[in-house]
Every structure is written in C-alpha cells, then in structure tokens.
Amino acid sequence: MLDFELLRAFVAVADYGGFHRAAERLNLTQSTVSQQIKRLELETQRPLFRRTTRSVALTDEGEMLLGDARRLLQLEEAARQRLVAPRLSGMVRLGVVEEVAGGSLPSALGRFAALHPGVKLEVQIGVSAELIEQLNAGRLDVVFAKRPLGTSKGRLVWREALVWAAAETFELTPGAALKLALYRERSVSREAALAALQGGDLTWEIVYTSPSLTGVRAAALAGLAITPLPASAVIAGLRVLGAEAGLPRLPDLEFAIYEKARPDTASAALAAGLSALAQGPSRPTI
C-alpha cells in the first residue's frame, strides 16, 4: 500500500524541482519531506530521485511512478470532495447561451453532478435577454449569459473579444452594401454590431437572421454574409476580418452569472461553481 502523504511529497518535489520549495508548498520542514521521500523509496524499493549538491532529478523509475502518483492523488481528492461536499437535492433550472453551452459547460456540469448526485439539472439554451427575462419571471434559477452592453448586473465570469467573422473564401466588394448575418432581435452581439456600424460610413444590409449561434455561423461558413462572433466561436472555415477590411472595431463581450433573488442551496452551489470558470474556453473545475 502506497501512502498518499508520501506520494504527495514525491509529486511536490518533482513539480518544484527540489526539497526546499516542495516543503514550502506543503507547509512542512525540508527534513520531513526528505524523510518522506526516503520512506517512499524504501516502500517501492526503487531510487526515485538523482540527488546532487545543486539539483534533484527524477530517475527512470521516478518518471514511471510520477504519472501513476498524479492519478492516485486525483482519485483521492475526488473521493474526498464527494465525502465532504454537502448533500444537496432538488432541481436547478439553468439557462445558458449557446456560446457557453458549446464550450466548457458540459464538463463543468458533469463535475457538479458527480459532487451532488441528488440534484437534478434542467438546462435550457437560449438568447441572453430571453433567459434573463425567464429568470426574473421565476421560470429559471440560474442563467449564464452575455451581459447586456452598459450594464453591471450579474457576476462577471469572463470577458472576450467580439470579432467580425467570414468564410475564408469570402471577399468584400468595394462600394457594395455589407451583407450581415445576425441573431434575431434583442441579442447582445447583434446590438453591438449594429451600434458599431451606425457610427461609421459603411452601408450594410441584414440578409440572414437566426435565433442561434449555429445558424448565424452557418451563414458565414456558406459565404452568405459576415457575422459578429465571440473570438472563441470562430471555427475552421472562418477567418477574422480586422481593421484592414475597413470594418469598425467591436466591443468586448462579457459573460456573467445571474441568480434568482432568493437562491436555494443547490442553485447557489451551481452558480458558485460556474463562476469559477474563466473561459477562454477551457476552464477550472467546479
């Protein structure tokens, strides 16, 4: 049986390149960490580090153990969290915009479900304004959405660039009206794009609308129009059009968490977990 404390010391020494820094990280004395490594080497009957007066490096045996040690510590931490996490139950109704739903949300919800198996999740995908309205009407408990421009409501999770995207083969025609693919009314991205265009000299026309990210992105991929997208939503087949194309700069998008006025414990736990995400679209864990 390998002692988890010994494995923790072993991983710390490997990660921080020495006993002194590992001891600081673990809040132990250097001699304690050194003794733990010696005990682990006795248990495994293998030399795990090559020590000199100036450096510490893993042996071949140490390299082999390191991956297994990390996995064992991760399993131990997951088991510990499941045991100490409060036992929650009930239903949480989550509203989320498609930009988030297609990013790090699935893995985050999976971790939440593993920690709180007694909580049922109901997820609705929609446009920010509509989701926030449903939250205010009591039909949703938590909303993860784009924050309307100029407001400070909600709990900011991350900010990212809004960019003009077009098919890689799309060519702007000088003098012709700019063809746009936009969300339907009351979209944060739509309003930001139109406000930017109205402040310039370009002529434009909306030739395609959709209620979803998938829809407006499909129009751009097909070469029908250009569309404003979060930078993280620009996929293969699309390119970003910058100032060299004569297009106005777009404001950053803000993604925020909204909660109902009196959240229950399960809703508050989900909101707190989702707030730990820091998009750019792979995120820390709940």
Side-chain angles (χ1 to χ4, degrees):
M1 296 291 291
L2 294 177
D3 188 312
F4 282 104
E5 290 304 314
L6 304 186
L7 291 176
R8 194 168 286 109
F10 167 68
V11 171
V13 173
D15 285 346
Y16 293 97
F19 292 87
H20 178 69
R21 293 182 63 194
E24 289 181 339
R25 179 67 177 177
L26 296 172
N27 198 27
L28 299 171
T29 66
Q30 185 171 333
S31 62
T32 299
V33 173
S34 180
Q35 289 169 8
Q36 289 175 329
I37 297 303
K38 288 179 180 177
R39 284 174 55 197
L40 184 60
E41 289 179 324
L42 286 172
E43 287 189 7
T44 59
Q45 298 183 5
R46 297 287 189 279
L48 302 175
F49 291 102
R50 291 189 298 273
R51 304 166 178 82
T52 69
T53 55
R54 303 182 64 179
S55 67
V56 174
L58 287 166
T59 63
D60 291 343
E61 292 85 353
E63 291 282 3
M64 288 189 292
L65 177 62
L66 184 60
D68 290 334
R70 290 191 197 281
R71 285 188 289 273
L72 286 169
L73 290 173
Q74 288 169 357
L75 287 171
E76 187 260 353
E77 174 64 15
R80 186 190 63 79
Q81 287 192 13
R82 281 194 290 271
L83 289 172
V84 302
R87 294 182 180 275
L88 303 180
S89 61
M91 166 76 78
V92 179
R93 300 164 298 174
L94 171 66
V96 61
V97 291
E98 191 176 353
E99 293 89 337
V100 175
S104 54
L105 183 70
S107 59
L109 292 183
R111 288 188 291 270
F112 179 84
L115 280 174
H116 307 292
V119 177
K120 296 180 181 179
L121 296 173
E122 181 180 292
V123 181
Q124 177 178 330
I125 310 298
V127 177
S128 298
E130 295 173 358
L131 294 174
I132 294 171
E133 281 184 359
Q134 291 199 53
L135 176 77
N136 293 335
R139 292 190 290 271
L140 290 173
D141 303 308
V142 180
V143 165
F144 200 158
K146 288 178 283 189
R147 186 150 70 178
L149 300 175
T151 70
S152 58
K153 294 181 178 179
R155 187 187 313 169
L156 180 64
V157 182
W158 77 77
R159 182 182 289 109
E160 69 173 296
L162 179 65
V163 299
W164 295 107
E168 292 178 348
T169 56
F170 185 86
E171 295 292 339
L172 294 172
T173 304
L178 187 65
K179 297 183 185 297
L180 301 176
L182 300 177
Y183 276 95
R184 292 178 186 165
E185 289 79 2
R186 305 174 65 210
S187 155
V188 175
S189 299
R190 175 192 174 105
E191 291 175 3
L194 294 180
L197 289 168
Q198 287 163 358
D201 299 324
L202 289 173
T203 58
W204 48 269
E205 60 177 328
I206 301 171
V207 299
Y208 184 101
T209 61
S210 171
S212 72
L213 168 67
T214 301
V216 295
R217 193 161 55 188
L221 283 166
L224 300 179
I226 71 170
T227 190
L229 294 178
S232 61
V234 178
I235 60 175
L238 294 176
R239 62 189 175 99
V240 174
L241 301 175
E244 73 283 353
L247 297 172
R249 181 182 175 85
L250 295 171
D252 287 347
L253 288 176
E254 294 183 340
F255 290 82
I257 296 287
Y258 300 82
E259 297 179 67
K260 59 185 180 182
R262 293 182 177 83
D264 55 77
T265 307
S267 297
L270 178 61
L274 293 177
S275 295
L277 296 177
Q279 165 111 351
S282 60
R283 305 290 126 213
T285 61
I286 282 184

